[in-house]
Amino acid sequence: DRELKDCKPFNPSGLMIAQSVKLGTKLKESWFKTPELVKRGDLLSIIKSVGNLNVMDRAEALEDGCAGDIIRVKNIKSNRIVRARVHNGSTVTAL
């Protein structure tokens, strides 16, 4: 595992450390992870693109997910389960 060094640029902005670290410990890049934006059970807006038209509806997250992750969500109206990409903590795009 590679240690973070001054000569190797690494920007942990927006990331969180995935374990406890003692003061003075050299950090390793693999210790950082993207925070989960969506938690199972969250109510989300789901966007489906149909040609030039974007249709928005409400969905429930069936899995946790980070930005860019593909998770399963359940459309509230139809109860249909679809896969969607996480954009932020409140919006996903149906695939």
Side-chain angles (χ1 to χ4, degrees):
D1 206 8
R2 175 173 110 214
E3 289 183 350
L4 300 179
K5 299 181 181 166
D6 291 335
C7 61
K8 186 77 174 176
F10 172 71
N11 182 3
S13 177
L15 301 178
M16 58 187 276
I17 197 147
Q19 63 189 53
S20 298
V21 178
K22 291 182 181 176
L23 186 63
T25 302
K26 288 187 178 184
L27 301 177
K28 296 183 179 187
E29 194 170 339
S30 64
W31 293 354
F32 291 86
K33 68 176 189 172
T34 305
E36 291 175 341
L37 298 176
V38 172
K39 302 281 187 198
R40 181 183 177 145
D42 285 354
L43 292 179
L44 308 166
S45 294
I46 184 169
I47 300 169
K48 174 69 176 173
S49 295
V50 182
N52 291 333
L53 181 66
N54 286 332
V55 178
M56 186 179 289
D57 214 340
R58 299 294 291 162
E60 177 186 351
L62 299 178
E63 301 173 314
D64 299 342
C66 304
D69 284 354
I70 295 173
I71 63 170
R72 292 177 312 121
V73 298
K74 181 172 74 170
N75 183 301
I76 300 296
K77 288 182 184 173
S78 68
N79 284 328
R80 203 170 135 209
I81 296 173
V82 297
R83 293 176 358 125
R85 184 175 309 278
V86 176
H87 284 286
N88 55 45
S90 62
T91 308
V92 295
T93 300
L95 300 179

